[in-house]
Each structure stands twice: as C-alpha cells, then as structure tokens.
Amino acid sequence: MPERYRSIIDVHVILERGEEILLLERQGTGYCDGMLHLPSGHLDEGEPVTEGAVREAREEIGVRIDPADLRLATVVHHRQRPDLARVGMFFTTVRWEGEPYNAEPHKCGRLLWCDPAVLPPNTIAYPAAGINAYLTGTPLTLHGW
C-alpha cells in the first residue's frame, strides 16, 4: 500500500496598513535572495496554523499578533518542483502590537511597504500568487501545477 501524501505547510502573513502590505527582501538564505516575500515560514510539528503565523511574524518582523486577529485570506497549493509541493496558508491582519522591523538581518535585507495591486517585479511568484488571490477573493489557487 502506498504511503499517504504529505506536504510542507507554509504560513504567510499579510500585514495591511492602509492601502499597503509589508514585504521582506530575502538575503543570505540561498533561496531567492534579492527577491521579495511576505513574512512567512514553515509550520512546526504539532503547531496550529494560526500559532505558526503569529510565531513567524514575531520572529521575522518583531510584531505580536493575537491569533484571533488573523483572517484566512486564501490557500495556495504550490508545486515548487516535480517532487516537492507545499500548501500555503495566507492570513491577513490589520491589528498587531509593535512597529515592524527587520528582526532577522541575517536573512532579510530590508522591509518594504507596497501596494499589493502593483507588486514590485522582484516579488517571488509563489507569494505573489497568494497576494493576488487575496485581492480577488479567490479561496484556493493552484500554482505551478
């Protein structure tokens, strides 16, 4: 009998400030360095998705978010390569404590507030697909399949 399918679960946080959202410029990671991404990361074993999103925001941009303030915006089933897929849970929030700052300078070059409808051209395609789905109210997007 074949093994059950297992996938990496990613959590992404869309911080909304007026008409802008926050993006991070990756650096020194070996994955898409110089490109823009949302505050995000992998879900830890046994961790609820909302707690993972809260943890990643705290680790990457130093803000505290109440899990009750997160709203699920969309889910992206992303095929990174033929042998690797991941499920991205994209959450939005307009409420958090603290001013976002670069809490991981060894992984991030800078923070950038931008218009989600006009993303910079160096935005990574996977989070860009999630941001577009959030803007259009699309609950599920297949990306890279």
Side-chain angles (χ1 to χ4, degrees):
M1 188 161 107
E3 278 193 45
R4 290 183 185 261
Y5 176 77
R6 295 179 189 262
S7 184
I8 297 168
I9 305 295
D10 296 324
V11 289
H12 306 257
V13 180
I14 301 171
L15 262 64
E16 302 171 306
R17 183 180 76 179
E19 300 296 315
E20 298 178 312
I21 64 170
L22 185 68
L23 296 177
L24 292 70
E25 182 182 58
R26 298 182 61 85
Q27 83 173 13
T29 67
Y31 172 72
C32 294
D33 290 335
M35 297 187 75
L36 301 172
H37 204 302
L38 293 163
S40 64
H42 307 114
L43 193 63
D44 288 345
E45 180 67 36
E47 183 178 47
V49 291
T50 51
E51 292 295 331
V54 165
R55 176 184 50 77
E56 288 293 344
R58 186 177 61 253
E59 290 175 0
E60 293 187 1
I61 57 174
V63 299
R64 295 201 175 277
I65 300 170
D66 183 333
D69 289 330
L70 292 173
R71 179 179 58 85
L72 181 62
T74 191
V75 175
V76 177
H77 194 192
H78 170 65
R79 188 171 185 189
Q80 190 165 337
R81 57 181 196 248
D83 65 333
L84 178 63
R86 40 197 342 119
V87 176
M89 312 292 286
F90 287 73
F91 294 94
T92 63
T93 188
V94 295
R95 296 182 56 167
W96 61 86
E97 292 180 24
E99 183 63 28
Y101 69 94
N102 183 358
E104 293 185 324
H106 58 290
K107 294 181 180 179
C108 177
R110 65 186 171 122
L111 306 183
L112 175 70
W113 290 97
C114 65
D115 180 346
V118 186
L119 292 173
N122 62 328
T123 304
I124 299 170
Y126 170 31
I131 293 165
N132 184 58
Y134 139 78
L135 291 174
T136 60
T138 306
L140 174 66
T141 297
L142 301 178
H143 183 259
W145 290 93

